């Protein structure tokens, strides 16, 4: 994610990471200590997308202990729970449940040692490298706070635990199974996401289109296999695929409007079995990020056009170009909701700790919940202590999300996250 200026606010008399103490922040600071065991449990036992069974079981137990009403399972591993407190609006607060196929290299005493197999049979580790363990623990902390402070708000809070965010499928799955039909549609939906580049005690936000839409594109360049010593008797798909990886960047630098954001990245390149064998085909997998429908179409059409042209230039069969049928849409933070919530974030953490950021090209399927007229707002939560972040920046070594080396300063992050989200929800659910 995008880095932010370092705003140092030091109040020596206050041990909290939050610039000034509030009743909510003082409660959250104490609760964060007790929540660390849950956080470590979630971090040590991550589960991949659509396999979050034990994670769901653990969180449901926590929700019930906090006094919430847990609805029947949705989407195999999804969680829907309610905290009702008289008349008032309905606010949905979402957490994501899944982890990533990454071998953890943080060196933490409670690091994940979970391993599984990919579809091709190769071994891979499993790690919460995107902070979903923080999201879930914060979510439980917010449930505990709202459950024990019912005199401060009125209405209904829906706690949604979403599977499969990392593969962009979970929100569509839950909505497709009737989330807004089986249960009352929320008036507002909120979520947070950790940032690896923002210090603890701070949050950041962007009104309007904040996160990019994402398309997955599989291109198979088809050649003619043969001996590596006699390439003239074959059609080499490796060279065609390599040319495609480079050529598509001209779509960004020379065809797309420079002021309209767009990114194409080749994240996977698979072909061949041995040094001296020219393979029959080569698979390249692209992620395409954009905000506007026009740019999205331009980039997707351009990838196909260039793949076809490269094949024709090599006298090869036409390539296969397949675009994911369910792309992740851009995330649109409803400006009126942002305007309404931000003052409560400032109340929670201090005005100097609430930062306006620019758009970024990562994607998040939380944006799907904005369908059917539900205003949504996702904000970012700082997760690295200021001194540690300063040191990493000085060495130009700040692990990003999805890195095997990323880990948050959990206790401080939880304190700020519980404080901010609790105040945001209560701002939308004022007392009767």
């Amino acid at each position: 994610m995008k880095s932010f200026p370092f705003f140092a606010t030091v109040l020596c008399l206050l041990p909290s990471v939050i610039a000034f103490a509030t009743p909510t922040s003082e409660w959250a600071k104490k609760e964060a200590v007790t929540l660390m065991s849950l956080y470590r449990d979630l971090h040590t036992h991550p589960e991949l997308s659509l396999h979050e069974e034990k994670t769901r079981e653990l969180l449901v137990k926590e929700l019930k202990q906090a006094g919430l009403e847990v609805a029947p399972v949705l989407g195999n591993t999804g969680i829907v729970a309610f905290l009702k407190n008289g008349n008032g609006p309905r606010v949905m607060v979402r957490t994501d449940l899944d982890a990533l196929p990454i071998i953890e290299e943080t060196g933490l005493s409670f690091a994940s040692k979970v391993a599984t197999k990919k579809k091709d049979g190769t071994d891979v580790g499993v790690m919460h490298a995107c902070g979903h363990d923080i999201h879930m623990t914060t979510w439980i902390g917010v449930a505990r706070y709202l459950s024990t402070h019912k005199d401060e708000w009125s209405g209904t809070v829906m706690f949604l635990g979403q599977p499969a965010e990392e593969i962009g499928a979970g929100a569509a799955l839950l909505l497709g199974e009737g989330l807004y039909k089986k249960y009352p549609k929320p008036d507002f939906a909120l979520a947070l996401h950790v940032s690896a580049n923002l210090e603890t005690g701070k949050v950041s936000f962007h009104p309007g289109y904040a996160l990019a839409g994402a398309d997955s594109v599989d291109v198979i360049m088809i050649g003619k296999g043969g001996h590596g010593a006699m390439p003239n008797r074959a059609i080499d798909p490796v060279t065609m695929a390599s040319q495609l990886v480079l050529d598509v960047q001209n779509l960004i630098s020379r065809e797309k409007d420079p002021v309209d954001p767009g990114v194409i990245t080749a994240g996977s390149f698979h072909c061949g079995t041995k040094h001296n064998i020219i393979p029959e085909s080569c698979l390249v997998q692209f992620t395409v990020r954009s905000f506007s429908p026009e740019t999205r179409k331009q980039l997707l059409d351009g990838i196909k056009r260039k793949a076809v042209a490269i094949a024709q230039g090599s006298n090869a069969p036409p390539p296969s170009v397949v675009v994911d049928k369910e792309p992740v849409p851009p995330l649109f933070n409803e400006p009126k909701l942002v305007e309404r919530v931000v003052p409560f974030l400032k109340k929670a953490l201090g005005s100097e700790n609430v930062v306006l950021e620019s758009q970024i090209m990562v994607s998040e399927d939380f944006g799907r919940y904005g369908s059917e007229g539900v205003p949504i707002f996702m904000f970012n939560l700082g997760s690295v202590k200021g001194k540690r972040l300063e040191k990493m920046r000085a060495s130009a070594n700040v692990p990003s999300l999805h890195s095997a080396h990323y880990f948050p300063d959990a206790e401080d992050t939880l304190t700020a996250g519980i404080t901010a989200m609790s105040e945001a929800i209560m701002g939308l659910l004022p007392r009767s």
Side-chain angles (χ1 to χ4, degrees):
M1 286 193 176
K2 194 175 180 65
S3 60
F4 303 94
F6 179 77
F7 297 95
T9 301
V10 180
L11 296 180
C12 299
L13 297 178
L14 294 177
S16 172
V17 297
I18 298 176
F20 59 93
T22 65
T24 310
S25 68
E26 289 298 322
W27 185 95
K29 180 176 173 60
K30 294 176 182 178
E31 195 68 18
V33 177
T34 68
L35 283 166
M36 283 301 295
S37 60
L38 173 61
Y39 166 73
R40 292 191 182 101
D41 192 351
L42 291 167
H43 186 90
T44 306
H45 304 102
E47 295 176 299
L48 292 178
S49 303
L50 302 175
H51 297 280
E52 306 94 337
E53 292 89 359
K54 293 181 180 178
T55 300
R56 182 186 190 279
E57 182 180 345
L58 178 60
L59 294 179
V60 165
K61 179 181 176 181
E62 291 286 342
L63 291 170
K64 289 182 176 179
Q65 288 178 347
L68 277 72
E69 173 190 341
V70 179
V73 64
L74 195 68
N76 296 322
T77 53
I79 304 170
V80 182
F82 294 92
L83 188 58
K84 300 177 181 178
N85 188 32
N87 296 324
R90 295 182 296 270
V91 175
M92 184 175 80
V93 56
R94 187 216 71 167
T95 186
D96 27 22
L97 311 178
D98 52 333
L100 287 159
I102 295 175
I103 299 173
E104 181 165 350
E105 298 179 16
T106 62
L108 295 171
S109 61
F110 53 92
S112 168
K113 294 180 174 58
V114 176
T116 187
K117 289 187 179 294
K118 296 192 292 186
K119 291 181 180 180
D120 61 5
T122 58
D123 294 326
V124 66
V126 185
M127 176 190 175
H128 273 300
C130 199
H132 294 188
D133 46 356
I134 285 286
H135 301 172
M136 290 183 279
T137 310
T138 300
W139 191 69
I140 293 298
V142 171
R144 291 181 183 181
Y145 183 85
L146 295 178
S147 182
T148 55
H149 293 77
K150 288 188 174 181
D151 59 323
E152 298 182 18
W153 61 278
S154 178
T156 299
V157 185
M158 175 195 289
F159 284 80
L160 182 68
Q162 179 200 303
E165 186 279 326
E166 294 294 359
I167 61 173
L173 175 63
L174 298 187
L175 289 167
E177 291 198 2
L179 176 66
Y180 286 171
K181 296 176 182 177
K182 293 181 179 180
Y183 309 106
K185 188 169 65 174
D187 298 300
F188 311 101
L190 300 175
L192 57 74
H193 201 297
V194 296
S195 168
N197 294 332
L198 188 65
E199 67 181 278
T200 53
K202 295 182 180 292
V203 298
S204 64
F205 70 96
H206 184 89
Y209 284 110
L211 304 181
D215 286 272
S216 297
V217 184
D218 290 359
V219 180
I220 301 177
M221 301 303 296
I222 302 169
K224 178 183 176 183
H227 199 295
M230 294 179 285
N232 57 304
R233 298 186 182 181
I235 299 175
D236 193 345
V238 179
T239 57
M240 289 192 291
S242 300
Q243 183 180 345
L244 178 65
V245 170
L246 297 178
D247 276 3
V248 296
Q249 296 309 320
N250 281 328
L251 296 170
I252 302 297
S253 64
R254 287 296 177 268
E255 296 189 28
K256 179 188 66 63
D257 185 341
V259 300
D260 192 358
V263 171
I264 301 176
T265 295
S268 178
F269 192 104
H270 294 280
C271 36
T273 58
K274 196 174 183 294
H275 307 71
N276 60 350
I277 300 174
I278 294 173
E280 295 286 341
S281 63
C282 191
L283 168 66
V284 186
Q285 295 179 304
F286 295 99
T287 184
V288 180
R289 306 299 172 102
S290 59
F291 287 100
S292 72
E294 296 78 15
T295 295
R296 174 178 180 264
K297 184 177 187 304
Q298 182 182 29
L299 297 182
L300 295 177
D301 289 349
I303 290 174
K304 183 175 182 179
R305 169 167 49 85
K306 287 183 176 295
V308 169
I310 290 169
Q312 290 176 342
S314 298
N315 199 27
S320 168
V321 181
V322 178
V323 180
D324 187 1
K325 293 182 179 179
E326 290 194 1
V328 178
L331 189 149
F332 183 82
N333 282 328
E334 173 56 48
K336 291 182 179 179
L337 179 59
V338 174
E339 183 179 3
R340 186 171 172 183
V341 169
V342 164
F344 295 101
L345 297 178
K346 292 180 178 180
K347 173 189 173 184
L349 305 179
S351 296
E352 71 278 13
N353 293 318
V354 179
V355 182
L356 178 65
E357 69 167 342
S358 59
Q359 295 174 320
I360 51 179
M361 300 306 293
V362 300
S363 63
E364 232 285 359
D365 70 352
F366 179 67
R368 293 191 192 277
Y369 297 111
S371 65
E372 300 184 34
V374 177
I376 69 169
F377 179 26
M378 171 178 277
F379 57 89
N380 296 315
L381 176 66
S383 68
V384 184
K385 286 184 178 180
K387 288 186 178 180
R388 178 177 159 226
L389 188 58
E390 257 193 336
K391 185 177 180 180
M392 291 191 297
R393 284 174 177 166
S395 62
N397 184 28
V398 181
S400 67
L401 300 180
H402 291 213
S403 163
H405 301 278
Y406 166 73
F407 67 92
D409 290 303
E411 196 171 314
D412 289 354
T413 306
L414 292 172
T415 299
I418 295 168
T419 303
M421 184 58 81
S422 297
E423 291 286 358
I425 293 170
M426 291 189 298
L428 296 172
L429 300 176
R431 302 179 191 181
S432 299

